Amino acid sequence: MKIQAASITHFSVDREASRHRGYRLATGFFICLLGLFSLEAYAFDADSARDMMGVCATCHGEFGQGGSRGEYPRLAGQSEKYMASQLESFRARKRINFPMFPYTEERDLSDEDIRNITGYLASIKLQTTPPVFKGDEDALTRLQMMDKVMIIPRAVGDIENGARIYKKECASCHAKDGGGRGSFPMLVGQYTNYLMKQVTSYINGERPHDEDDSRGILAKLKDTDIRDILAYLTSIQPQE
Ligand code: HEC
Ligand code: HEC
């Protein structure tokens, strides 16, 4: 809003010289600004998202980094569309998630809430390289710096075999770099034991993997292949 006020002042100074041109410019500028603001409001309402995040943070961490070594998945940087589909699925009780039952009641979690919180979470970027301490930080600051860093420990497995199967069977949907896209979730940067738990629940038919029965993809793999894919995913984390 400060910008708008500034443009009014600018317009009044300009008045003498080119009243009409200035007016047109200012009007155009206002329209552009309005456009920007409404676009932003459509993407997500940051204040409301941050309010909601207070609740989510108790399990998923202040920055959506997840917690308790993967009992609570990482949400930061995950695909917005995918997270929205999962929240809808929790709300409709199609994907069963007991810890989140109270937070996904119809009356508490509106479509607008889903848009806001998933837009916010998707926009959070976590560092993937260790923090550099200057030496004058106190323990709390160090802890907070560490919290923003997300490096999944290397999982044990045959990385070459994992790479081969991942590229052949998974990359078409989850992307070559494991970053996901659209409604396909990001797998790289997610906790290994969380991913393992999901694979198991797909194989057991407790969670549908994909519409075209791609449960078949996971069910036909050997246990060692799955272990190797998960090991491969921990070996291709970007260094940022
Ligand atoms: C009491 C703990 C708890 C709270 C609070 C909580 N969650 Fe969760 N959430 C979980 C657990 C546990 C899972 C994983 C369930 C599973 O293993 O299938 C999960 C999974 C998710 C997933 C799916 C992630 C994926 O990769 O599929 C999303 C999205 C999510 N939570 C969003 C939220 C949002 C948004 C909030 C706040 C409104 C929230 N959660 C609050 C415990 C919690
Ligand atoms: C045809 C597209 C497709 C292929 C191929 C595919 N997936 Fe998926 N995958 C999906 C979709 C869609 C979801 C989300 C499904 C849902 O809503 O539960 C998903 C979800 C997952 C999840 C859960 C992620 C989370 O955050 O909860 C894991 C783990 C997973 N896939 C692993 C794999 C592995 C490993 C392979 C290769 C062996 C693979 N997928 C191949 C489409 C695919």
Side-chain angles (χ1 to χ4, degrees):
M1 288 301 148
K2 270 193 193 124
I3 306 172
Q4 284 194 11
S7 79
I8 294 170
T9 335
H10 181 69
F11 169 50
S12 34
V13 174
D14 247 11
R15 191 158 49 188
E16 299 298 320
S18 54
R19 188 173 185 141
H20 290 291
R21 196 184 52 116
Y23 182 72
R24 269 208 309 275
L25 273 177
T27 315
F29 190 49
F30 277 133
I31 291 172
C32 281
L33 271 179
L34 280 175
L36 277 178
F37 283 130
S38 56
L39 253 184
E40 215 166 59
Y42 177 74
F44 66 87
D45 175 342
D47 288 340
S48 138
R50 270 187 220 106
D51 269 1
M52 258 182 102
M53 194 57 201
V55 171
C56 318
T58 48
C59 294
H60 293 283
E62 191 186 343
F63 313 108
Q65 74 274 33
S68 283
R69 302 210 189 105
E71 186 184 342
Y72 307 114
R74 166 194 181 160
L75 304 173
Q78 180 59 282
S79 145
E80 182 177 353
K81 210 169 153 195
Y82 166 73
M83 284 191 290
S85 76
Q86 299 308 301
L87 288 173
E88 283 161 12
S89 178
F90 293 145
R91 193 174 59 183
R93 308 292 184 240
K94 283 191 199 141
R95 178 177 170 191
I96 302 304
N97 179 349
F98 290 114
M100 276 182 62
F101 252 54
Y103 311 100
T104 51
E105 296 288 344
E106 199 77 52
R107 65 175 191 283
D108 286 337
L109 191 71
S110 67
D111 288 347
E112 199 187 334
D113 288 340
I114 291 184
R115 249 194 329 270
N116 286 335
I117 194 73
T118 56
Y120 175 66
L121 287 164
S123 75
I124 301 177
K125 270 195 159 254
L126 297 177
Q127 253 173 273
T128 48
T129 48
V132 181
F133 297 121
K134 279 194 242 130
D136 57 355
E137 304 89 353
D138 58 24
L140 183 66
T141 311
R142 283 188 175 221
L143 220 61
Q144 283 170 336
M145 285 168 79
M146 296 286 286
D147 271 352
K148 280 189 200 156
V149 179
M150 185 82 185
I151 307 168
I152 304 294
R154 287 285 190 108
V156 179
D158 178 345
I159 290 175
E160 253 173 62
N161 184 50
R164 192 180 55 79
I165 303 174
Y166 182 81
K167 284 173 192 159
K168 185 159 165 261
E169 307 283 8
C170 321
S172 60
C173 294
H174 292 285
K176 238 170 139 178
D177 64 359
R181 61 192 158 82
S183 46
F184 304 124
M186 151 189 95
L187 302 178
V188 162
Q190 185 57 277
Y191 296 90
T192 304
N193 52 350
Y194 169 76
L195 294 176
M196 190 62 218
K197 185 181 165 218
Q198 302 312 310
V199 170
T200 310
S201 100
Y202 287 133
I203 292 174
N204 294 340
E206 290 152 12
R207 191 182 161 190
H209 185 213
D210 196 60
E211 274 143 56
D212 306 329
D213 192 27
S214 71
R215 182 190 149 212
I217 295 176
L218 295 168
K220 81 179 186 211
L221 296 175
K222 287 184 277 181
D223 288 354
T224 48
D225 289 341
I226 290 169
R227 181 202 63 192
D228 295 348
I229 293 172
L230 297 183
Y232 170 66
L233 292 172
T234 63
S235 77
I236 55 167
Q237 293 173 81
Q239 298 272 302
E240 281 162 21

